[in-house]
């Protein structure tokens, strides 16, 4: 017998759609506003800088001839499937985990769309100090990092609660 979807973690799929929407809109705005490698100062430590990332985080494997596009797409699809299954198996009340998983899924799908449609990921958030610039990233990357941090945080917050449930 199956459970009603709204009683599962899939109740949080709306957050996936929000992440995808904000990520897509921000990337479209950048592509329509800036030329490739053009920078728009926002604050003394922050620019919008339009870049194409053919690799993964920190342009990992960006210069490897194209095979990495499909490799990273496959990884993204696998992660999305695993997290959606975990969301389905978990209760909707498990808010922190479901929010974390939804952020990761939304970010992975946002970058997967770029990778499959454009052949690269659009990056544009550029933080810097003096001449040193952090790796340029995007909203999908932010969602993935926040989601991953929430997974780690949840591991620190609830081990005692999990142990108590297991003993009772």
């Amino acid at each position: 017998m199956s459970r009603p979807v709204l009683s599962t973690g899939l109740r949080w799929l709306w957050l996936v759609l929000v992440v995808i929407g904000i990520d897509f809109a921000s990337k479209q705005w950048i592509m329509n506003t800036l030329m490739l490698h053009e920078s728009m100062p926002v604050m003394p430590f922050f620019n919008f800088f339009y870049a194409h990332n053919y690799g993964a985080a920190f342009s990992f494997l960006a210069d490897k001839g194209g095979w990495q596009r499909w490799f990273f797409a496959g990884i993204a699809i696998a992660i999305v499937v695993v997290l959606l299954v975990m969301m389905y198996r978990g209760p909707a009340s498990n808010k922190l985990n479901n929010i974390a998983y939804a952020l990761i899924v939304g970010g992975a799908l946002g970058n997967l769309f770029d990778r499959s449609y454009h052949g690269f990921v659009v990056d544009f958030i550029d933080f810097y100090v003096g001449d040193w610039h952090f790796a340029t990233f995007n909203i999908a990357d932010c969602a993935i990092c926040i989601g991953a941090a929430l997974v780690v945080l949840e591991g620190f917050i609830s081990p005692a609660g999990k142990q108590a449930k297991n003993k009772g």
Side-chain angles (χ1 to χ4, degrees):
M1 189 167 143
S2 66
R3 306 184 292 165
V5 171
L6 291 181
S7 71
T8 73
L10 295 179
R11 169 183 259 179
W12 293 88
L13 285 181
W14 63 268
L15 184 54
V16 171
L17 298 176
V18 168
V19 170
I20 291 170
I22 293 170
D23 181 63
F24 181 80
S26 65
K27 290 172 179 175
Q28 290 301 307
W29 181 79
I30 286 297
M31 290 188 293
N32 292 329
T33 304
L34 300 177
M35 300 287 288
L36 184 60
H37 301 127
E38 182 181 356
S39 184
M40 176 191 297
V42 178
M43 293 181 202
F45 56 89
F46 173 59
N47 295 326
F48 289 135
F49 177 77
Y50 178 21
H52 293 169
N53 183 351
Y54 293 91
F58 304 104
S59 295
F60 177 66
L61 297 178
D63 58 349
K64 296 300 177 196
W67 64 267
Q68 72 278 16
R69 172 185 182 184
W70 305 111
F71 175 71
F72 292 130
I75 290 173
I77 291 168
I79 289 169
V80 166
V81 168
V82 166
L83 291 179
L84 288 175
V85 167
M86 290 173 69
M87 289 173 77
Y88 176 73
R89 289 182 177 170
S93 60
N94 213 355
K95 291 179 185 176
L96 192 58
N97 271 342
N98 290 320
I99 289 169
Y101 297 159
L103 290 170
I104 295 168
V105 168
L109 290 175
N111 283 341
L112 177 62
F113 173 80
D114 274 9
R115 200 173 301 287
S116 55
Y117 185 77
H118 300 297
F120 54 81
V121 174
V122 174
D123 285 335
F124 61 91
I125 300 171
D126 175 34
F127 284 102
Y128 65 93
V129 176
D131 290 333
W132 179 84
H133 290 255
F134 187 75
T136 308
F137 57 99
N138 59 44
I139 300 297
D141 298 333
C142 293
I144 292 167
C145 288
I146 292 168
L150 290 175
V151 168
V152 171
L153 177 64
E154 196 277 335
F156 283 112
I157 290 174
S158 61
K162 287 179 184 174
Q163 289 173 355
K165 282 183 186 177
N166 291 337
K167 289 181 182 178

